Amino acid sequence: MYLKQTIKRGWQLSIFLVLPLLANAGALDEAIDTQVNTDIAAQKSQEKIDNLSDETTDMLAEYRDVLRQTQSLKSYNDQLQSLVNSQQEEMASITEQLNNIETTQHDIVPLMLKMIDVLQQFVTLDVPFLKQERQTRLEALNTMMERADVSLAEKYRRIMEAYQVETEYGRTIEAYQADLEDGETKKTVDFLRIGRVSLYYLTLDGKEAGMWDNDKKQWVTLSDDYIQAITDGLKVAKKQLPPDLMVLPVKTVGEKQ
């Protein structure tokens, strides 16, 4: 109301200045009222336009924010779909393996038993070093194969480990103390193993030395000339002396000592 009165006074002042030009005062008031109403309507329209502009700006900002969230969710969903596809492929692979596991067991168990049997024959025919240790290892393998609480993979790993130990014997030298059984006699001696080619012994008093003849499957006493070489070899194996050239008898296949 105050706004309308203010506008009306403004128009009255303007009309007063041109009053001499108007003959009808009633027509003047009507013209002023019409103009005032027009101005008020225009101002209100402008306010509505301004409000609509602010709402449009807010809605545009909200739309852009929703658009960004939608794009982010799409990327996330694509990534999840890739993971789901990968898991489905893995599940299919596992299912196939489970379907084949019974066949695999049927094939691999006889193979592992054969491997143990071959290893047993090898140890029996080999130079008789560390007899108790090697025999205990074989017995443990046979016992393991009868256990249901040991997985197939663990059984295979243990068998391969035994093969690796036997292979390693061929690349090393070793000194150890054990009982020497020769016929009905039994005495404690120092053994010197050189790879799996030769096995020597030296009595604890250092007065007798010998070697294993794998062809005859018996111990052969050596001359006193080799006692010092075997003594030095024992010290090298125990890391009490640096490696050095040793002159020792070697029994090769088809040849004499």
Side-chain angles (χ1 to χ4, degrees):
M1 184 66 181
Y2 175 76
L3 176 61
K4 183 175 181 180
Q5 290 176 351
T6 302
I7 295 174
K8 186 172 183 178
R9 289 195 190 98
W11 276 103
Q12 286 175 342
L13 179 59
S14 300
I15 297 302
F16 177 76
L17 296 176
V18 295
L19 187 57
L21 302 176
L22 297 173
N24 191 337
L28 175 62
D29 288 336
E30 185 178 351
I32 291 173
D33 289 338
T34 301
Q35 187 61 47
V36 168
N37 291 333
T38 302
D39 291 343
I40 291 173
Q43 185 173 357
K44 290 182 178 179
S45 297
Q46 185 61 45
E47 290 177 354
K48 290 182 179 181
I49 292 173
D50 293 341
N51 291 334
L52 289 173
S53 178
D54 293 340
E55 291 178 3
T56 301
T57 301
D58 293 340
M59 291 177 65
L60 180 60
E62 184 178 354
Y63 169 75
R64 289 175 176 171
D65 185 56
V66 171
L67 192 62
R68 285 193 296 269
Q69 292 182 19
T70 302
Q71 186 62 36
S72 177
L73 288 173
K74 184 179 182 303
S75 299
Y76 180 67
N77 288 337
D78 290 343
Q79 179 65 22
L80 284 181
Q81 187 60 49
S82 297
L83 291 175
V84 169
N85 293 340
S86 177
Q87 289 175 348
Q88 289 177 343
E89 292 175 0
E90 184 67 18
M91 289 175 62
S93 176
I94 292 174
T95 301
E96 183 178 357
Q97 293 177 35
L98 290 174
N99 292 334
N100 295 333
I101 191 168
E102 185 174 353
T103 302
T104 301
Q105 289 179 338
H106 289 167
D107 292 340
I108 199 170
V109 170
L111 173 63
M112 290 192 295
L113 292 173
K114 180 65 175 177
M115 291 174 68
I116 295 174
D117 184 57
V118 170
L119 193 60
Q120 176 68 66
Q121 295 180 36
F122 180 77
V123 171
T124 301
L125 297 174
D126 197 19
V127 176
F129 60 88
L130 299 175
K131 291 177 62 176
Q132 186 60 43
E133 177 182 322
R134 298 165 79 189
Q135 189 60 40
T136 299
R137 185 182 300 115
L138 287 166
E139 291 173 358
L141 291 177
N142 283 312
T143 301
M144 175 194 66
M145 291 301 297
E146 298 175 357
R147 291 176 55 184
D149 61 331
V150 181
S151 68
L152 201 64
E154 177 63 15
K155 291 177 180 178
Y156 184 77
R157 187 193 68 80
R158 294 269 299 275
I159 294 173
M160 292 306 299
E161 187 178 73
Y163 269 84
Q164 290 173 358
V165 170
E166 289 293 333
T167 301
E168 190 66 21
Y169 287 143
R171 299 195 292 263
T172 59
I173 65 172
E174 181 182 18
Y176 64 95
Q177 195 172 96
D179 291 334
L180 172 66
E181 296 181 6
D182 188 9
E184 297 181 356
T185 62
K186 182 178 181 180
K187 54 188 174 183
T188 301
V189 298
D190 287 321
F191 286 99
L192 172 64
R193 175 183 62 81
I194 300 180
R196 59 182 351 112
V197 176
S198 299
L199 182 63
Y200 308 92
Y201 76 84
L202 182 67
T203 56
L204 298 183
D205 59 9
K207 293 182 179 180
E208 179 186 327
M211 68 174 294
W212 176 257
D213 188 327
N214 209 40
D215 291 337
K216 297 179 180 180
K217 302 297 180 182
Q218 65 182 23
W219 291 100
V220 177
T221 302
L222 298 176
S223 68
D224 294 345
D225 296 337
Y226 294 109
I227 290 179
Q228 186 59 49
I230 295 174
T231 301
D232 292 342
L234 289 167
K235 291 180 179 180
V236 170
K238 296 176 181 177
K239 302 188 186 311
Q240 296 174 352
L241 283 178
D244 198 0
L245 179 64
M246 294 179 292
V247 179
L248 291 170
V250 177
K251 186 70 170 62
T252 57
V253 178
E255 294 183 359
K256 292 185 178 181
Q257 170 184 322

